[in-house]
Amino acid sequence: MFHRAALPLVLTASCLVVPASTSSADAFTPGSRGLGDSYFPLEGNGGYNAAHYDLNLSYAPKTDRLAGSVRMTAHATKNLSRFNLDLRGLKVTSVKVNGRRATFSRSGQELRIAPARGLVKGHTFTTTVRYGGVPRTIVGSPIVFGSPYGFLHTPDGAFVGGEPNGASTWFPVNDHPSDKASYKIKITVPKGLGAISNGVLTGRRTQGARTSFTWKQRQPMASYLATIDIGKWKVKSGRTPGGIRNYIAVDPKLRAGSLSYVTKATARATDFWVSTLGPYPFDTTGAIVDDARYRGRPLGFSLETQSKPVYSAVRDTGTIAHELAHQWFGDSVSVKRWKDIWLNESFATWAMYYWLEKKRPGALTVGEQVRADYADWAPVKRYWTVKIADPGRNTMFSSRVYDGGAMVLQFLRERIGD
């Protein structure tokens, strides 16, 4: 991340089931309602691991209403009598587990599901949740620099940036980066609009007044990196000079030449990181650049959504290089606990400095840049009170984590080499 100032869910697969009523009282027990993350104790859920989400969504910008279906495959990690999903707001109308109707209840962000039969450890199971409504934007949180995040409504559609805990604003999910899954996302929107998501576009079909777009993200993805961005777009698809598939979508309201600029900047940065960091980890690179605002005010928002970072406006090449470095550090290799967020942001910040050193004439070297940062922050006591390796929930995206973490990496590099 980089900052400047009635819908169905289905968990799908085969499963061995036994009637819970015939088991001993302690043979089938509920999964925990959170994974116990020190920053977000209720994010994620215990008792199962997600393997695949199959979302089938529709969105109406005029009413801001989201509806459709989602399918997810999960594996039970214990004998389950009940399990939870994370979901903020939105109305659930029905739930099925392995095709059988299940009972459910709501408590805050927790959707508690009790299947008709117990789920056996080591086997896969399926769940269908029908839900709908107007997704809520998360506002007033100090976590993300005070910026609104999650599902943001735009005049012609939507802009979605879910880090750290915003995925559950638009679909039921095991919302923690330690439980990654593959995704298929189908989005139906009014004809004339486009819907962009992670991975590769595998289908587009118009029927009457609506058009459906289908996207597939084969490689496992943390839930906060999932996105759906809806509106009017200028699109350019092709390949980088190095042969990586490149898909760019830019809001036509942005300045002339933006599509060409972002396409070239994304291609250059992607190929540079391939030569520096190793093979590109996904099927496509790209960018989604929107004129995204909240209540009329521009958002200072960029996020490394997997395979296609999202930008709330046109950004400079340093920011683009930062978000694309995240495809290796943060997306392909992800944190297991949010307290380790510096491992995402320090590498991406160091990488941005390295990009500037190599690609911008007259730029400082990485060593010079981190020493300049050190000097700038030296008199600011509050900066040094943040512990890089455990910065705290409300300061997990502080400058100390970004450029302070880059200092750590550079000073280590000077000791032990690349």
Side-chain angles (χ1 to χ4, degrees):
M1 178 187 288
F2 194 83
H3 283 74
R4 292 183 179 272
L7 179 122
L9 170 79
V10 185
L11 283 106
T12 309
S14 62
C15 180
L16 176 64
V17 294
V18 299
S21 60
T22 63
S23 304
S24 62
D26 60 353
F28 287 82
T29 57
S32 62
R33 62 176 186 157
L35 291 176
D37 188 281
S38 59
Y39 290 2
F40 300 95
L42 293 182
E43 299 300 339
N45 303 276
Y48 67 94
N49 290 326
H52 179 74
Y53 292 91
D54 192 342
L55 292 79
N56 187 356
L57 313 175
S58 66
Y59 186 65
K62 288 185 178 180
T63 60
D64 292 332
R65 183 173 177 82
L66 184 70
S69 70
V70 185
R71 189 169 65 233
M72 182 179 94
T73 303
H75 306 282
T77 58
K78 60 176 290 184
N79 289 339
L80 280 173
S81 61
R82 190 181 72 216
F83 62 95
N84 289 15
L85 291 167
D86 300 304
L87 181 65
R88 296 168 180 260
L90 303 172
K91 183 179 180 180
V92 175
T93 56
S94 70
V95 179
K96 290 183 179 180
V97 176
N98 294 325
R100 294 174 176 268
R101 188 168 296 276
T103 59
F104 66 92
S105 61
R106 305 291 297 275
S107 177
Q109 73 179 58
E110 301 298 317
L111 171 61
R112 297 179 296 200
I113 300 168
R117 298 182 176 184
L119 305 174
V120 177
K121 178 181 177 180
H123 292 264
T124 55
F125 63 94
T126 68
T127 302
T128 304
V129 180
R130 296 196 174 274
Y131 70 101
V134 177
R136 300 176 185 173
T137 301
I138 300 174
V139 296
S141 169
I143 299 170
V144 187
F145 305 104
S147 173
Y149 69 102
F151 192 104
L152 294 107
H153 303 272
T154 63
D156 61 353
F159 176 84
V160 175
E163 189 179 26
N165 60 336
S168 59
T169 61
W170 60 282
F171 71 105
V173 58
N174 202 30
D175 198 8
H176 194 270
S178 63
D179 192 13
K180 299 166 73 170
S182 58
Y183 282 73
K184 176 184 175 183
I185 301 177
K186 180 180 178 181
I187 319 160
T188 301
V189 295
K191 184 178 178 181
L193 298 182
I196 318 295
S197 188
N198 311 88
V200 175
L201 180 65
T202 60
R204 174 176 176 171
R205 184 180 182 186
T206 297
Q207 288 185 299
R210 306 206 305 169
T211 303
S212 298
F213 300 80
T214 302
W215 299 86
K216 289 185 179 180
Q217 173 58 60
R218 292 190 307 115
Q219 297 83 5
M221 177 168 67
S223 54
Y224 77 88
L225 297 170
T227 190
I228 52 171
D229 299 278
I230 298 162
K232 295 181 179 180
W233 306 102
K234 290 182 178 179
V235 172
K236 187 170 185 179
S237 60
R239 291 186 180 270
T240 72
I244 306 299
R245 187 178 289 161
N246 192 14
Y247 190 101
I248 308 294
V250 174
D251 190 318
K253 291 182 293 185
L254 297 172
R255 66 175 184 263
S258 295
L259 181 62
S260 178
Y261 160 75
V262 175
T263 300
K264 291 178 181 178
T266 298
R268 287 185 70 207
T270 300
D271 284 348
F272 180 75
W273 294 136
V274 168
S275 68
T276 307
L277 304 176
Y280 187 70
F282 307 120
D283 293 327
T284 184
T285 187
I288 304 169
V289 188
D290 205 351
D291 181 20
R293 301 166 184 266
Y294 182 75
R295 295 182 177 175
R297 299 180 63 181
L299 294 169
F301 199 103
S302 300
L303 179 64
E304 62 272 16
T305 47
Q306 191 156 305
S307 75
K308 295 184 197 70
V310 293
Y311 307 93
S312 63
V314 177
R315 301 300 183 204
D316 61 31
T317 59
T319 302
I320 292 171
H322 175 109
E323 301 305 340
L324 289 171
H326 269 307
Q327 303 305 303
W328 284 260
F329 297 103
D331 293 14
S332 181
V333 177
S334 303
V335 296
K336 189 172 183 179
R337 307 170 300 177
W338 279 116
K339 66 181 291 186
D340 295 323
I341 187 62
W342 84 282
L343 292 170
N344 289 13
E345 300 302 346
S346 62
F347 274 97
T349 303
W350 184 93
M352 178 178 66
Y353 293 166
Y354 188 69
W355 162 268
L356 296 173
E357 174 187 326
K358 298 298 183 182
K359 298 296 184 180
R360 183 173 293 176
L364 299 177
T365 66
V366 180
E368 292 168 340
Q369 182 61 61
V370 299
R371 284 168 172 80
D373 291 342
Y374 188 98
D376 288 343
W377 287 112
V380 184
K381 291 183 178 179
R382 69 178 183 276
Y383 176 85
W384 302 100
T385 63
V386 176
K387 183 179 179 182
I388 294 174
D390 188 4
R393 173 180 167 133
N394 289 343
T395 50
M396 61 186 288
F397 297 114
S398 73
S399 295
R400 177 80 169 130
V401 173
Y402 286 68
D403 50 34
M407 291 179 205
V408 172
L409 296 180
Q410 177 60 23
F411 297 150
L412 284 171
R413 180 189 183 209
E414 292 173 11
R415 286 285 187 176
I416 65 176
D418 284 342

